[in-house]
Amino acid sequence: MTGRGAARRVTLLALLAVLAAWPWLAPYFAIFLMTEILILGLFAASFNLLFGYTGLLSFGHAAYFGTGAYVAALLLRDMAPPFLAVLAAAAVGAAVVALVIGWFSVRLTEVYFAMLTLAFGMMVYALVHQWRGLTGGSDGVAGFPLTAPLPGVAVNIADPVNYYYLTLILVAVSAYVLHRITVSPFGLILRSLRENSERASFAGVPVRRYRLAAFVVSGLFSGLAGALFAPFNRIAVPEMAHWTQSAEPVLMTILGGSQYFFGPFLGAGVFLLLRQWITSYTQEWMFFLGVILAFLVVFLPRGLLGLFDRWLGGRS
Amino acid sequence: MRPPPLLDVRDLRRNFGSFAAVDGVTLSVQPGEVTALIGANGAGKTTFYNLISGRLRPTGGSIFYRGRDITGTPPHSITRMGIARSFQITNIFDQLRVIENVQVALVIRQGKGTRWWRRAARDEDLRLQAGELLERLGLSGLAMARAGTLSHGDKRLVELAIVLATDPQLVLLDEPTAGMTPEETHAVVDLIARLAETGPQTFFLTEHDMDVVFGLARRVFVMHRGRLLAEGSPDEIRANPEVRNAYLGEEVY
Ligand SMILES: Nc1ncnc2c1ncn2[C@@H]1O[C@H](COP(=O)(O)OP(=O)(O)O)[C@@H](O)[C@H]1O
Ligand SMILES: [Mg+2]
């Protein structure tokens, strides 16, 4: 127990050290790659609070990611407040959207829940795509400035290294908060819902209320990820709210292992590295991704971390 | 004079299509009195429990708990009012540790469900109360095991621990000894008897093992094809010719 815990802590510290030194260790393009891994890792980890911990598979998480992206881009374009205020507003905006969609969705479970979240996700995409006056339609929102993080903190986050560090700090803090949630009493209730929501309700748990709470928290951090993603790309486009964007956290989480807190982060890393590598040879990267995923689901249902766990002689 | 009943069920009905699984049952359970509901397979016992515990909505009739009409109340509210149940087929949190199984109920009961920052494992109240409960049920040694890895008998005890952790006044046990070995059955009967004697809970259980019922219950209701056929003390029930015909005769006992 303690041996495992200590090993985990050392691994985590080593990982943080590598991430902190990344701009010195890695070639220039890899700074962009790692920024993207961190952002999409946070997106996948937020998704997994709902999937791996609460037992609800959402196919519509791009709705919150996209909301975060657009709120951030529009605020920067029209008002240019301090960047951290932009992120906070975008996360809250996404949480509000999640509250509305979740309020309907948590009435259902399993495939019906998944279908409903997919349907709502499509509606949000359609809205973003069609509301040209606000969102610029398929052109998206671009040409916004990147403001200082806080008033008086004159850091130029348009510099990729600075943006990387800002992302690293925010993702690390968010991951820490998410992790605390999973091991809290609230998190225990969420895990009980994943295991057996009927038994939970007969233990006194108001099931829907907790599902909705998980949904909103998940939407909040997804929105934060989206709000980091749009400025990173210097544009918010409807694709960020598209259902193919919803598929990414699902795939990343399954790749890394949904039963592990860091599974989604690892999955995001492997996913983006594979994409980088395969697209340098062929345009048909989706085909190879499909092959890899099919292989994983059949042979490694617990994801890559499940495989490591088995190598280390962990649980069966 | 008898005290007011803890549970008062009036003309309760539940149909599945045109089939009446519970067909106008009226009964009451007195506080502190171990009560049993017996009947052959398919008599409607589980359906009756599903109605009381809020898992199913009645087609007709009403349910009063401590004088309050709880008909149609959802399960989590009924649980928090003080009625907890076990299931005929063991129903626990397989992937959670045994101690966590109990803590789910404790978190809700202690109003800690909104605590999202403090670690559950560092909460002394949660740890101590769960530990005490597991101790009482003889599960201390298994506290850190995943509940799904336990033996059938131990899993049933975990479910009983969850039930008690909700701090119930009325405990509904649906065939608590189903699928147990004779030794396990004996141990569970002893345990329920001990809990009933010392605890604040009133036990209301269904069974079809007669020895279990007659050893535990002070008051017995007999169900037959959705209806109440008889009620009385174990001795009265044993001597009742109608019961013998309708039910006891069908059983190997
Ligand atoms: N959900 C259901 N749908 C249809 N019929 C049911 C359902 N639940 C129970 N029944 C029927 O109701 C009758 C009573 O079942 P049950 O309450 O499980 O009896 P017992 O617990 O006494 O064995 C049985 O004939 C059973 O087939
Ligand atoms: Mg039954």
Short mmCIF file of all heavy atoms in Angstrom, two decimals, chain B residues 16 19-22 39-48 50 56 88 174-175 223, ligand 1:
data_model
loop_
_atom_site.label_atom_id
_atom_site.label_comp_id
_atom_site.label_asym_id
_atom_site.label_seq_id
_atom_site.Cartn_x
_atom_site.Cartn_y
_atom_site.Cartn_z
N PHE B 16 -49.30 -6.46 -12.33
CA PHE B 16 -48.45 -6.49 -13.51
C PHE B 16 -49.35 -6.90 -14.66
O PHE B 16 -49.74 -8.06 -14.75
CB PHE B 16 -47.30 -7.49 -13.33
CG PHE B 16 -46.34 -7.10 -12.24
CD1 PHE B 16 -46.25 -7.84 -11.08
CD2 PHE B 16 -45.54 -5.98 -12.38
CE1 PHE B 16 -45.37 -7.48 -10.08
CE2 PHE B 16 -44.65 -5.62 -11.39
CZ PHE B 16 -44.57 -6.36 -10.23
N PHE B 19 -52.37 -9.20 -13.93
CA PHE B 19 -52.03 -10.11 -12.83
C PHE B 19 -51.78 -9.32 -11.55
O PHE B 19 -50.96 -8.40 -11.53
CB PHE B 19 -50.79 -10.93 -13.22
CG PHE B 19 -50.23 -11.76 -12.10
CD1 PHE B 19 -50.92 -12.87 -11.64
CD2 PHE B 19 -49.02 -11.40 -11.51
CE1 PHE B 19 -50.40 -13.64 -10.61
CE2 PHE B 19 -48.51 -12.16 -10.47
CZ PHE B 19 -49.19 -13.28 -10.02
N ALA B 20 -52.48 -9.67 -10.48
CA ALA B 20 -52.33 -8.96 -9.21
C ALA B 20 -51.29 -9.67 -8.36
O ALA B 20 -51.58 -10.69 -7.74
CB ALA B 20 -53.66 -8.87 -8.49
N ALA B 21 -50.07 -9.13 -8.34
CA ALA B 21 -49.00 -9.75 -7.55
C ALA B 21 -49.20 -9.48 -6.06
O ALA B 21 -48.91 -10.33 -5.22
CB ALA B 21 -47.64 -9.23 -7.99
N VAL B 22 -49.70 -8.30 -5.75
CA VAL B 22 -50.11 -7.97 -4.38
C VAL B 22 -51.54 -7.50 -4.49
O VAL B 22 -51.85 -6.56 -5.23
CB VAL B 22 -49.21 -6.89 -3.76
CG1 VAL B 22 -49.76 -6.43 -2.42
CG2 VAL B 22 -47.78 -7.40 -3.59
N GLY B 39 -44.41 -17.16 2.85
CA GLY B 39 -45.25 -17.52 1.72
C GLY B 39 -44.40 -18.24 0.69
O GLY B 39 -43.20 -18.00 0.61
N ALA B 40 -45.05 -19.09 -0.09
CA ALA B 40 -44.32 -19.85 -1.10
C ALA B 40 -43.72 -18.91 -2.13
O ALA B 40 -44.07 -17.73 -2.19
CB ALA B 40 -45.26 -20.85 -1.78
N ASN B 41 -42.82 -19.43 -2.93
CA ASN B 41 -42.27 -18.65 -4.03
C ASN B 41 -43.38 -18.11 -4.91
O ASN B 41 -44.30 -18.83 -5.25
CB ASN B 41 -41.38 -19.55 -4.89
CG ASN B 41 -39.92 -19.28 -4.61
OD1 ASN B 41 -39.54 -18.15 -4.29
ND2 ASN B 41 -39.11 -20.31 -4.71
N GLY B 42 -43.29 -16.82 -5.25
CA GLY B 42 -44.30 -16.25 -6.12
C GLY B 42 -45.52 -15.73 -5.37
O GLY B 42 -46.46 -15.24 -5.98
N ALA B 43 -45.50 -15.80 -4.04
CA ALA B 43 -46.65 -15.36 -3.25
C ALA B 43 -46.82 -13.83 -3.31
O ALA B 43 -47.91 -13.31 -3.11
CB ALA B 43 -46.51 -15.81 -1.81
N GLY B 44 -45.72 -13.12 -3.58
CA GLY B 44 -45.80 -11.67 -3.66
C GLY B 44 -45.00 -10.93 -2.59
O GLY B 44 -45.13 -9.72 -2.45
N LYS B 45 -44.16 -11.66 -1.86
CA LYS B 45 -43.41 -11.05 -0.75
C LYS B 45 -42.46 -9.96 -1.25
O LYS B 45 -42.44 -8.85 -0.72
CB LYS B 45 -42.61 -12.13 0.00
CG LYS B 45 -43.44 -13.31 0.47
CD LYS B 45 -42.60 -14.33 1.23
CE LYS B 45 -41.52 -15.01 0.40
NZ LYS B 45 -42.05 -15.89 -0.67
N THR B 46 -41.66 -10.31 -2.26
CA THR B 46 -40.70 -9.33 -2.76
C THR B 46 -41.40 -8.11 -3.34
O THR B 46 -40.99 -6.96 -3.12
CB THR B 46 -39.76 -9.98 -3.80
OG1 THR B 46 -39.02 -11.02 -3.15
CG2 THR B 46 -38.81 -8.97 -4.40
N THR B 47 -42.48 -8.35 -4.08
CA THR B 47 -43.24 -7.23 -4.64
C THR B 47 -43.75 -6.33 -3.51
O THR B 47 -43.68 -5.10 -3.60
CB THR B 47 -44.41 -7.76 -5.47
OG1 THR B 47 -43.90 -8.66 -6.46
CG2 THR B 47 -45.17 -6.64 -6.14
N PHE B 48 -44.21 -6.95 -2.44
CA PHE B 48 -44.69 -6.19 -1.29
C PHE B 48 -43.58 -5.29 -0.73
O PHE B 48 -43.79 -4.10 -0.46
CB PHE B 48 -45.20 -7.17 -0.22
CG PHE B 48 -45.80 -6.51 0.98
CD1 PHE B 48 -47.04 -5.88 0.90
CD2 PHE B 48 -45.12 -6.51 2.19
CE1 PHE B 48 -47.59 -5.27 2.02
CE2 PHE B 48 -45.66 -5.90 3.31
CZ PHE B 48 -46.89 -5.28 3.22
N ASN B 50 -40.98 -4.28 -2.39
CA ASN B 50 -40.67 -3.26 -3.40
C ASN B 50 -41.64 -2.08 -3.30
O ASN B 50 -41.26 -0.93 -3.57
CB ASN B 50 -40.73 -3.86 -4.80
CG ASN B 50 -39.54 -4.76 -5.08
OD1 ASN B 50 -38.53 -4.70 -4.38
ND2 ASN B 50 -39.66 -5.59 -6.09
N LEU B 56 -41.19 0.12 -6.33
CA LEU B 56 -42.34 0.06 -7.23
C LEU B 56 -43.43 0.97 -6.69
O LEU B 56 -43.56 1.15 -5.48
CB LEU B 56 -42.90 -1.37 -7.28
CG LEU B 56 -42.13 -2.45 -8.01
CD1 LEU B 56 -42.85 -3.79 -7.83
CD2 LEU B 56 -42.00 -2.12 -9.48
N GLN B 88 -33.25 -9.72 -2.10
CA GLN B 88 -33.19 -11.18 -2.14
C GLN B 88 -31.91 -11.63 -2.85
O GLN B 88 -31.27 -12.58 -2.45
CB GLN B 88 -34.43 -11.70 -2.86
CG GLN B 88 -34.57 -13.21 -2.80
CD GLN B 88 -35.93 -13.66 -3.30
OE1 GLN B 88 -36.86 -12.87 -3.43
NE2 GLN B 88 -36.06 -14.94 -3.56
N ASP B 174 -35.12 -9.14 2.78
CA ASP B 174 -35.79 -10.04 1.85
C ASP B 174 -34.99 -11.34 1.76
O ASP B 174 -33.95 -11.39 1.11
CB ASP B 174 -35.93 -9.38 0.47
CG ASP B 174 -36.96 -10.09 -0.40
OD1 ASP B 174 -37.50 -11.13 0.04
OD2 ASP B 174 -37.21 -9.61 -1.52
N GLU B 175 -35.48 -12.36 2.43
CA GLU B 175 -34.80 -13.66 2.50
C GLU B 175 -33.32 -13.52 2.83
O GLU B 175 -32.45 -13.82 2.02
CB GLU B 175 -34.99 -14.43 1.18
CG GLU B 175 -36.46 -14.55 0.84
CD GLU B 175 -36.82 -15.81 0.05
OE1 GLU B 175 -35.96 -16.72 -0.03
OE2 GLU B 175 -37.94 -15.87 -0.46
N MET B 223 -48.51 -14.91 3.36
CA MET B 223 -49.05 -14.45 2.08
C MET B 223 -49.27 -15.63 1.17
O MET B 223 -48.48 -16.58 1.16
CB MET B 223 -48.04 -13.50 1.41
CG MET B 223 -48.49 -12.05 1.37
SD MET B 223 -47.30 -11.07 0.46
CE MET B 223 -48.36 -10.45 -0.82
N1 LIG C 1 -41.64 -6.87 -12.55
C1 LIG C 1 -42.55 -7.87 -12.67
N2 LIG C 1 -43.24 -8.03 -13.81
C2 LIG C 1 -44.14 -9.02 -13.94
N3 LIG C 1 -44.43 -9.92 -12.99
C3 LIG C 1 -43.75 -9.82 -11.83
C4 LIG C 1 -42.77 -8.80 -11.61
N4 LIG C 1 -42.28 -8.95 -10.35
C5 LIG C 1 -42.91 -10.02 -9.83
N5 LIG C 1 -43.80 -10.54 -10.70
C6 LIG C 1 -44.67 -11.69 -10.45
O1 LIG C 1 -45.37 -11.44 -9.25
C7 LIG C 1 -45.47 -12.62 -8.49
C8 LIG C 1 -44.91 -12.41 -7.11
O2 LIG C 1 -43.49 -12.34 -7.20
P1 LIG C 1 -42.60 -12.03 -5.94
O3 LIG C 1 -43.11 -10.81 -5.29
O4 LIG C 1 -41.19 -12.02 -6.40
O5 LIG C 1 -42.87 -13.28 -5.02
P2 LIG C 1 -42.04 -13.87 -3.79
O6 LIG C 1 -41.05 -12.86 -3.37
O7 LIG C 1 -43.06 -14.14 -2.75
O8 LIG C 1 -41.39 -15.12 -4.27
C9 LIG C 1 -44.77 -13.72 -9.28
O9 LIG C 1 -45.75 -14.46 -9.99
C10 LIG C 1 -43.88 -12.95 -10.22
O10 LIG C 1 -43.69 -13.67 -11.42
#
